[in-house]
Structures are given as structure tokens and as C-alpha cells.
């Protein structure tokens, strides 16, 4: 337990950015919490986790680390920092030590996302071999990613995606912070981006406190109160 109020660090996922927390942040600020929503590079699991860990280490005091989607994999690794008090997964990947995104996802039938992915080469500095950026087909993005989000906003999100480098799917997590940190998980039960059973399996394996919300993948925009309530529970449970 800790006596000082924690900072809530919100870690976005693939094909999105920190603005995906735009409806949750006001709820948390209204509670008097310190909140930080950094931009995740989305270049590699290990690199992204190292970047988020560097941000967490600079925060003077306890941290509640919240990860959406691919951000769940990131906090699984970055959450090992000493000042992280708890982890909260939102429609996220809770990897086991030594497991990659591809391996966890491969245990279950594909979601609709698999057939809507677009692969685009990008130049890699210092290499003759290009990298691969992964995005979601713009026309299919609203239905697959944001079915219960305002349609106008969903179309805007579709054309402003933050790509994920393909390398991130194959990198194995060197550790699983949920083994030593209290953790909470939210399943988006109408998720068409990640098979909800992937979320359930990871959370159950980690022994998390779990809730289910009838939501699309972008649960933070579609159901901000439910998301904020789960974060509040993590804050209350780890603060004296």
C-alpha cells in the first residue's frame, strides 16, 4: 500500500494515439488524479516498453499503468518498474514471459481485423531492408475498430491511424509484470479487433480482477465511465 496519490499513465495501442483516452482523462482529472498519456512509438515491443519505462521512472511517486490493446503488451514489460503499483488492461494483450503477440493471438480464431490489415514498407535508417508498417483498411476501420463510437469520429480516427511496425508482433516479452503487480482487466465483449477470448484467456491466466463491457475495441471512447471506474478501483485498492 502507498499513502501518496498515484499518477495514472495511459498507454495507447496500435492504430491509435493518446487521443483515444480523450473521454477518460477528464473523468480522472476531476477526481484530482495526476494523469499522463504519452505517445507510444509503436516501433517494437521491447523498444516501446523501454520508452514507457523511462517515462515511468521519471515520475516521483507511485504509478497506475493502464494499457489499451497493444498497450497491454507494452505495460506487461514496462510495468516491472519499482514505482508501478498496479496494471490495468483495456481490451488488451496480457502476455506471458517469453510469449509474443503472434503466439498469444495464434491460440484463438482470427478476428475480423486479420483480413483488414494493410502492410506498407517504410525505410529503416542504416539498413537496406525496409521495415513494415501495419494499419487497418480505412474503409473497414469504423466497423472493426470503433463500431459504437460516433461515426464522424470513427472516420476521423480511420484516416489518422498511428501504424504499428510488424516487428512488434513477433517479439517475445522478456517478463510479465502482472506476476508481481495487482492487475485488473476489461474485456470488450463485442470486440472485432481482438478476439475477446484472447483478452479473457490472458486475464484469467494472470489471475486478474476482470469486468466485461459490451463494447467495440475502442472502449475508452465508447464507454469512458466504465473504463474510469475500473481505473478508480485500481487506485483505491493500491492506495491507503
Amino acid at each position: 500500500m502507498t499513502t501518496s496519490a498515484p499518477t495514472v499513465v495511459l498507454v495507447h495501442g496500435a492504430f491509435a494515439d493518446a487521443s483515444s483516452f480523450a473521454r477518460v482523462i477528464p473523468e480522472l482529472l476531476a477526481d484530482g488524479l495526476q494523469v499522463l498519456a504519452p505517445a507510444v512509438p509503436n516501433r517494437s515491443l521491447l523498444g516501446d516498453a523501454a520508452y514507457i519505462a523511462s517515462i515511468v521512472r521519471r515520475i516521483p511517486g507511485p504509478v497506475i499503468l493502464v494499457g489499451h490493446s497493444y498497450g497491454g503488451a507494452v505495460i506487461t514489460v514496462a510495468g516491472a518498474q519499482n514505482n508501478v503499483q498496479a496494471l490495468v488492461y483495456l481490451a488488451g494483450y496480457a502476455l506471458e514471459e517469453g510469449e509474443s503477440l503472434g503466439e498469444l493471438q495464434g491460440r484463438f480464431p482470427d478476428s475480423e481485423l486479420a483480413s483488414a490489415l494493410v502492410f506498407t514498407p517504410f525505410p529503416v535508417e542504416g539498413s537496406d531492408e525496409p521495415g513494415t508498417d501495419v494499419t487497418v483498411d480505412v474503409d473497414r476501420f469504423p466497423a472493426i475498430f470503433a463500431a459504437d463510437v460516433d461515426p464522424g469520429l470513427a472516420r476521423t480516427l480511420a484516416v489518422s491511424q498511428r501504424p504499428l511496425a510488424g516487428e512488434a508482433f513477433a517479439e517475445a516479452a522478456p517478463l510479465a509484470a502482472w506476476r508481481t503487480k495487482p492487475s485488473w482487466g476489461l474485456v470488450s465483449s463485442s470486440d472485432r479487433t481482438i478476439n475477446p477470448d484472447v483478452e479473457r484467456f490472458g486475464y484469467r491466466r494472470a489471475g486478474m480482477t476482470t469486468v466485461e463491457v459490451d463494447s467495440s475495441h475502442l472502449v475508452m471512447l465508447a464507454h469512458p465511465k466504465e473504463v474510469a471506474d475500473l481505473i478508480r478501483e485500481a487506485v483505491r485498492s493500491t492506495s491507503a
Side-chain angles (χ1 to χ4, degrees):
M1 294 292 215
T2 181
T3 56
S4 59
T7 297
V8 178
V9 178
L10 303 168
V11 180
H12 67 78
F15 323 130
D17 59 26
S19 69
S20 58
F21 291 104
R23 297 189 67 196
V24 172
I25 291 171
E27 295 252 356
L28 302 177
L29 292 176
D31 290 347
L33 291 167
Q34 297 292 317
V35 180
L36 186 61
V40 183
N42 281 5
R43 298 293 84 191
S44 71
L45 175 58
L46 299 184
D48 294 340
Y51 178 71
I52 293 301
S54 73
I55 291 172
V56 168
R57 285 195 298 272
R58 293 198 299 268
I59 296 172
V63 168
I64 305 293
L65 205 47
V66 181
H68 173 246
S69 189
Y70 166 68
V74 174
I75 70 169
T76 295
V77 180
Q81 299 306 302
N82 290 336
N83 59 332
V84 173
Q85 298 295 309
L87 308 172
V88 180
Y89 291 77
L90 307 174
Y93 293 103
L95 299 180
E96 176 60 282
E97 181 178 333
E99 184 177 56
S100 70
L101 287 173
E103 288 170 338
L104 175 55
Q105 208 155 244
R107 296 169 180 258
F108 300 89
D110 284 341
S111 68
E112 292 181 50
L113 176 71
S115 65
L117 294 176
V118 177
F119 303 92
T120 308
F122 69 89
V124 177
E125 185 177 358
S127 174
D128 294 331
E129 294 295 321
T132 302
D133 264 342
V134 185
T135 54
V136 183
D137 179 88
V138 168
D139 292 333
R140 297 182 64 188
F141 181 101
I144 291 175
F145 213 73
D148 51 358
V149 174
D150 174 80
L153 176 56
R155 289 193 295 272
T156 298
L157 296 171
V159 301
S160 58
Q161 296 177 51
R162 190 179 187 97
L164 179 66
E167 177 183 352
F169 290 96
E171 285 187 328
L175 56 91
W178 49 257
R179 288 190 164 275
T180 57
K181 314 277 184 173
S183 303
W184 284 258
L186 184 151
V187 175
S188 289
S189 60
S190 294
D191 204 330
R192 297 161 71 179
T193 296
I194 298 178
N195 183 333
D197 285 339
V198 173
E199 301 164 23
R200 294 183 182 108
F201 173 82
Y203 300 168
R204 184 169 60 249
R205 178 173 63 182
M208 293 185 198
T209 300
T210 304
V211 299
E212 298 215 5
V213 178
D214 183 11
S215 175
S216 71
H217 190 59
L218 280 179
V219 63
M220 311 89 71
L221 288 171
H223 300 276
K225 185 179 185 305
E226 289 88 337
V227 169
D229 283 346
L230 188 63
I231 297 170
R232 289 175 180 126
E233 181 179 336
V235 170
R236 283 194 300 268
S237 296
T238 56
S239 300

